[in-house]
Amino acid sequence: MMCGITGTPGTGKSTVADELARRGHRVVHISDVVQPYVLGKDPERDTQIIDTDRMVDEFVPFDGFVEGHFAHLLPCDRIVVLRLRPDKLAARLAARGYSPDKIGENRDAEALDVCLIE
């Protein structure tokens, strides 16, 4: 069974996934396997453009956990959506050096349940 761990950037996905790996579970971080699917960079939004359709089509399910903010698009048997209050999320992203626009975009996405709805 493959379980996806998803959520807005900054909600704790990597922390949870690293703890699962420490406990002996197989964990794949999308950030470690996404490079072949990067189409370019969107400088206005300060993000990479990913061919998620191709990645989903080519992703081979496995027993374990897949972590990343679009893990919910993969063929998972179960999905865990991590959440965080938007004000706390904004503080975490600011501490990471995110731009004010990027913080606002992610704060709004969290407030509007974007990952949960997808």
Side-chain angles (χ1 to χ4, degrees):
M1 177 172 73
M2 188 169 81
C3 182
I5 303 169
T6 191
T8 306
T11 55
K13 298 176 300 298
S14 294
T15 301
V16 169
D18 290 346
E19 179 60 23
L20 288 165
R22 189 187 71 74
R23 293 179 183 205
H25 296 280
R26 181 170 178 204
V27 174
V28 171
H29 297 273
I30 289 177
S31 60
D32 293 341
V33 298
V34 74
Q35 194 56 44
Y37 306 100
V38 175
L39 300 175
K41 185 158 176 82
D42 180 343
E44 188 174 308
R45 293 182 58 232
D46 188 26
T47 189
Q48 292 180 319
I49 301 166
I50 309 296
D51 185 347
T52 54
D53 290 336
R54 184 173 146 232
M55 184 172 182
V56 169
D57 287 344
E58 295 178 5
F59 194 88
V60 178
F62 63 96
D63 285 334
F65 297 87
V66 59
E67 174 272 325
H69 75 271
F70 56 85
H72 56 280
L73 302 177
L74 296 173
C76 297
D77 298 296
R78 301 279 188 269
I79 300 288
V80 175
V81 181
L82 297 184
R83 304 296 313 277
L84 185 64
R85 277 182 24 191
D87 59 328
K88 300 249 184 222
L89 180 68
R92 278 190 193 176
L93 298 180
R96 291 183 181 183
Y98 279 45
S99 72
D101 286 346
K102 191 77 174 165
I103 292 169
E105 177 184 353
N106 284 289
R107 183 196 60 230
D108 292 350
E110 182 64 9
L112 295 170
D113 297 329
V114 170
C115 288
L116 184 63
I117 291 168
E118 286 182 350

